[in-house]
Amino acid sequence: MQRRTVAAMDITKLKLFCALASSLHFGRAASACHVSPSTLSRNIKQLEDDLGVSLFERDNRSVALTHEGQSYLQFAKEVLQQWETYQESLLAQADQLHGQLSIYCSVTASYSFLYDILTEFRVKHPGIAIKLHTGDPAQSIERVLAGYEDIAIAAKPDKMPAGISYKPITRSPMMFIAPKNNPNWQAPALDTPDFWKKIPMIISEEGLVRERLDNWFEQQNIKPNIYAEVKGNEAIVSMVSLGFGVGVLPKIVVDNSPLAERVEPFILQPDLGPYSMGICVMEKRLKSPILNAFWAQLTSEK
């Protein structure tokens, strides 16, 4: 019993360390972990004393990981994942699975796919709590690789990172959209010299659509007129609807947007290839009974 108590205390320190490494803010990390800032600070200091190295550089204004802290972060995440898998294996011996499943996806994916994906799963496994995070889809796979999420709904990249299992759920063409009936917008005539250079573009900062678009402009020897770079496809629809320019994003985002009636297909639609969306997970995490149960359900639905 004492050995298990000590192990649990060490796991707590690792969780606090990872929370601080993620937020780089003592107040936010303490709040996320439901402890006081002084408790967080004390545990980090004890961890550093045990290791004999400084994990963070901190002053009155900022917190940053040291080189040793960056190395230790990968170790800590792996230990926490192994611990969670072990705990889940113990619970799996009971009649019902208990635990938590963290999911990351875009806002569009959260109301386009999650209902169908989670309805049957929740019925079969009511003891599993779902923790949902929404954000820029370009970060989905990176968050799974970093250990911040168990699974993510993500666009399939042209080159899938090693160690990731991926199961497709839908495909959508990429679409160029323009403002509709907006007095602040008028596209130049198609025969205008340097047509594309005169089009203000609203595009994602990163991700598959951005990569495909950059490649297309390079192939056409066009230097685009980038008006704005944004995080999240939903923001592109908003800016285009206001008349700021032409956006590029998956058609499924437009179809599900509350602003769909304020935009329309652009007069030209270059072919950027298909946009495949699916579920991704770290292969080694499929040893977790909870993740394995989720993955098995997806398999049975195909």
Side-chain angles (χ1 to χ4, degrees):
M1 179 65 71
Q2 183 179 4
R3 180 178 297 178
R4 186 168 183 175
T5 301
V6 171
M9 290 175 61
D10 292 340
I11 290 298
T12 298
K13 288 181 182 178
L14 292 182
K15 289 181 177 178
L16 293 174
F17 165 73
C18 287
L20 182 57
S22 175
S23 67
L24 296 178
H25 189 282
F26 274 88
R28 289 196 292 269
S31 177
C33 295
H34 307 291
V35 299
S36 66
S38 61
T39 297
L40 173 61
S41 180
R42 183 173 63 254
N43 276 271
I44 295 299
K45 182 64 169 61
Q46 290 174 352
L47 187 58
E48 290 178 323
D49 290 343
D50 291 341
L51 295 171
V53 297
S54 294
L55 299 173
F56 295 95
E57 295 176 351
R58 41 203 185 268
D59 54 34
N60 293 332
R61 293 186 177 183
S62 63
V63 179
L65 280 168
T66 62
H67 176 72
E68 292 79 6
Q70 292 175 348
S71 298
Y72 191 70
L73 179 59
Q74 184 61 40
F75 165 79
K77 289 177 180 177
E78 291 180 358
V79 170
L80 288 176
Q81 288 180 349
Q82 292 175 7
W83 173 259
E84 291 172 0
T85 299
Y86 170 70
Q87 293 289 87
E88 291 167 4
S89 68
L90 295 178
L91 293 172
Q93 299 174 18
D95 294 335
Q96 190 178 100
L97 286 173
H98 291 271
Q100 179 177 279
L101 181 69
S102 64
I103 301 175
Y104 182 87
C105 64
S106 67
V107 173
T108 296
S110 70
Y111 51 68
S112 299
F113 309 119
L114 280 187
Y115 180 84
D116 292 335
I117 292 173
L118 293 179
T119 297
E120 183 179 349
F121 184 74
R122 289 286 292 151
V123 172
K124 290 182 178 179
H125 306 286
I128 299 177
I130 303 298
K131 187 175 183 181
L132 177 64
H133 298 129
T134 58
D136 185 356
Q139 300 174 1
S140 298
I141 294 179
E142 285 74 11
R143 289 184 66 88
V144 170
L145 285 169
Y148 295 131
E149 314 290 347
D150 294 319
I151 65 173
I153 298 177
K156 183 180 181 181
D158 292 329
K159 183 178 180 180
M160 183 66 70
I164 288 287
S165 288
Y166 181 90
K167 190 170 295 296
I169 54 178
T170 192
R171 286 169 64 120
S172 173
M174 298 187 193
M175 182 179 186
F176 287 66
I177 59 172
K180 182 178 181 180
N181 299 327
N182 191 306
N184 298 318
W185 165 258
Q186 184 174 359
L190 284 174
D191 59 355
T192 301
D194 296 326
F195 174 82
W196 280 106
K197 295 181 181 180
K198 298 182 185 300
I199 302 295
M201 300 296 302
I202 302 166
I203 57 180
S204 301
E205 288 183 351
E206 55 182 339
L208 181 63
V209 177
R210 177 60 185 268
E211 293 171 4
R212 298 271 185 86
L213 185 62
D214 286 346
N215 289 337
W216 184 81
F217 278 129
E218 184 177 354
Q219 292 169 3
Q220 303 300 317
N221 196 27
I222 296 172
K223 184 177 181 180
N225 173 19
I226 299 177
Y227 176 83
E229 298 174 286
V230 302
K231 284 186 175 293
N233 290 315
E234 292 80 13
I236 294 178
V237 184
S238 297
M239 294 194 70
V240 171
S241 71
L242 292 169
F244 292 130
V246 170
V248 187
L249 70 172
K251 183 176 182 295
I252 191 172
V253 178
V254 181
D255 292 342
N256 286 278
S257 172
L259 300 173
E261 294 183 356
R262 299 184 184 180
V263 300
E264 62 184 0
F266 188 48
I267 51 178
L268 294 179
Q269 293 291 326
D271 184 6
L272 301 184
Y275 185 92
S276 174
M277 294 186 66
I279 305 292
C280 65
V281 61
M282 287 285 288
E283 290 177 2
K284 62 183 179 181
R285 289 287 286 136
L286 290 175
K287 295 178 181 178
S288 157
I290 290 176
L291 284 175
N292 187 265
F294 180 84
W295 198 251
Q297 177 184 302
L298 291 175
T299 301
S300 66
E301 290 177 354
K302 296 297 179 181

